Amino acid sequence: MSEFETIGVALRSLAAMAMAGAFAVVAYALAVRLIREGTALLRLCAAIVLGMWVPTILFHFLIGFGQFRLPTALATLGCLLAVTRRWITPVDVLGRQWASDLASFHEARNQLLSTGWRRAAFGVLLILALHALLRALLLPPLGGDALTYHGVKAAMWVQHGNPDVLRAPGGSGSMLLLPGGSEVFHAWILLPLVLGLLLFGWRSRG
């Protein structure tokens, strides 16, 4: 791997982290605006749901104009952050609410782990959850649907930047009429990393 390729991978990794952070901030800001008087747990649940809605809506907006490209996505996310800061939830309000919610979660954690058997049960559940997460992250997508449709669709969106993909004989063309589902999140992951870390991983195995 050349020095130029290493720099490219580093820049794309930074872009991926910036995008993930932007989506998280926007989702939490919207949750604070919508559920300011609710509990910390309710705001967390709302932020998780909005954290799926915002990328989905933004994806369909960009892909509809044929502009699902990394520079365009970063610029749009930057504008979305500015709008969030100016008109949805100011930074100072967001910071105070985050500190309050964090204190609530720390208190809940102390109550949850107040006894030895609770800590042991939590440790077992955490190990099982980490095992499932790492398995999903490390294993390649080997499912038939992923190899023939979901993964291919996301990769072609990233490659072409527009929704005009999967033109093929039979019923494949009808997929153009369907909105993106889970493939949207695959496409967001591939957008900054597909030409960097993934190629590096393939070359390392070659």
Side-chain angles (χ1 to χ4, degrees):
M1 193 174 188
S2 67
E3 183 177 351
F4 179 78
E5 289 176 319
T6 303
I7 294 174
V9 170
L11 290 176
R12 286 179 171 273
S13 300
L14 289 175
M17 290 186 287
M19 290 166 58
F23 280 130
V25 169
V26 171
Y28 183 70
L30 286 170
V32 170
R33 180 62 181 268
L34 295 173
I35 316 177
R36 185 168 297 179
E37 302 302 325
T39 63
L41 181 59
L42 185 60
R43 269 188 297 276
L44 175 63
C45 294
I48 293 173
V49 173
L50 290 165
M52 294 184 287
W53 282 5
V54 172
T56 301
I57 294 171
L58 185 58
F59 166 82
H60 285 97
F61 173 77
L62 293 174
I63 203 77
F65 288 98
Q67 293 299 320
F68 189 64
R69 309 285 186 186
L70 183 57
T72 311
L74 288 172
T76 307
L77 273 173
C79 294
L80 187 59
L81 276 175
V83 170
T84 300
R85 177 182 177 182
R86 177 66 178 84
W87 286 293
I88 298 178
T89 308
V91 175
D92 56 337
V93 175
L94 193 66
R96 288 196 300 270
Q97 190 62 67
W98 172 249
S100 174
D101 288 348
L102 201 60
S104 298
F105 286 125
H106 283 165
E107 182 180 355
R109 181 200 62 185
N110 293 335
Q111 293 178 358
L112 177 65
L113 305 178
S114 58
T115 61
W117 71 266
R118 287 186 175 185
R119 287 191 290 270
F122 178 78
V124 172
L125 292 176
L126 182 62
I127 292 173
L128 293 175
L130 288 175
H131 175 266
L133 177 63
L134 290 175
R135 183 177 183 276
L137 290 175
L138 297 178
L139 289 180
L142 298 177
D145 284 348
L147 293 174
T148 59
Y149 170 63
H150 295 294
V152 174
K153 190 176 182 181
M156 293 184 74
W157 279 337
V158 173
Q159 182 179 6
H160 298 286
N162 62 69
D164 192 18
V165 297
L166 292 180
R167 291 196 175 275
S172 299
S174 63
M175 301 301 181
L176 292 172
L177 306 175
L178 302 177
S182 62
E183 312 90 21
V184 169
F185 303 105
H186 300 160
W188 277 114
I189 294 171
L190 289 172
L191 185 62
L193 300 179
V194 65
L195 297 179
L197 294 181
L198 295 181
L199 286 179
F200 173 67
W202 293 337
R203 290 180 182 179
S204 298
R205 293 180 178 89

